[in-house]
Amino acid sequence: MALYSDKVMDHFLQPRNVGVIEDADGVGEVGNAKCGDIMKMYLKIDDDIITDVKFETFGCASAIASSSMATELIKGQPVEDALKLTNKAVAEALDGLPDYKMHCSVLAEEAIQKALEDYKSKQENTSQN
Ligand code: FES
């Protein structure tokens, strides 16, 4: 059996939503201290709906495929649903990752959570002013 599913290979070779959103409403950056890989997510949010999402990942094939799939899963979704996205759901959408590569999908979950936290804290600041 091939190590990676066709979907992992597809999202690794042709990642969706790569790039930067200059005026993002939420940005989240996370890293894995063990492998040194870094993932950054940018969210554009209108009326609590994620209208655009881009990512930059300096990492392994699984991390790139996970970020790409995660952006596809949350694009167009309400913030509340994106908050519930788990790394398991990302890995399942990719038709699985090898066990020792599951931690790569955790980066995608964490980067999205962090970007959403950033969005929420910016909103609180605006409402206080
Ligand atoms: Fe570092 Fe995959 S080996 S995220």
Side-chain angles (χ1 to χ4, degrees), residues 2-96:
L3 183 57
Y4 292 116
S5 71
D6 289 346
K7 273 198 192 160
V8 172
M9 289 311 292
D10 178 32
H11 279 263
F12 166 54
L13 294 172
Q14 295 162 78
R16 323 313 192 247
N17 307 309
V18 176
V20 174
I21 300 176
E22 296 293 349
D23 58 343
D25 298 305
V27 180
E29 183 174 333
V30 291
N32 180 308
K34 274 196 192 145
C35 62
D37 291 349
I38 295 171
M39 191 182 290
K40 198 164 179 180
M41 287 275 174
Y42 302 83
L43 303 176
K44 196 80 200 143
I45 299 173
D46 264 326
D47 232 356
D48 275 347
I49 301 285
I50 298 171
T51 54
D52 199 9
V53 44
K54 296 244 184 286
F55 79 90
E56 292 176 302
T57 293
F58 304 95
C60 70
S62 302
I64 291 168
S66 296
S67 0
S68 168
M69 180 54 89
T71 58
E72 290 280 273
L73 290 173
I74 64 166
K75 205 172 188 176
Q77 298 300 313
V79 166
E80 288 315 309
D81 288 1
L83 278 167
K84 292 185 211 136
L85 183 73
T86 62
N87 77 298
K88 227 175 140 234
V90 174
E92 270 166 23
L94 287 167
D95 290 339

Side-chain angles (χ1 to χ4, degrees), residues 24-26 45-49 79-80 83 115-129:
D25 298 305
I45 299 173
D46 264 326
D47 232 356
D48 275 347
I49 301 285
V79 166
E80 288 315 309
L83 278 167
L116 289 168
E117 277 168 29
D118 183 43
Y119 163 67
K120 292 208 162 186
S121 70
K122 278 181 183 152
Q123 270 203 323
E124 279 159 23
N125 286 341
T126 332
S127 60
Q128 275 165 14
N129 294 335

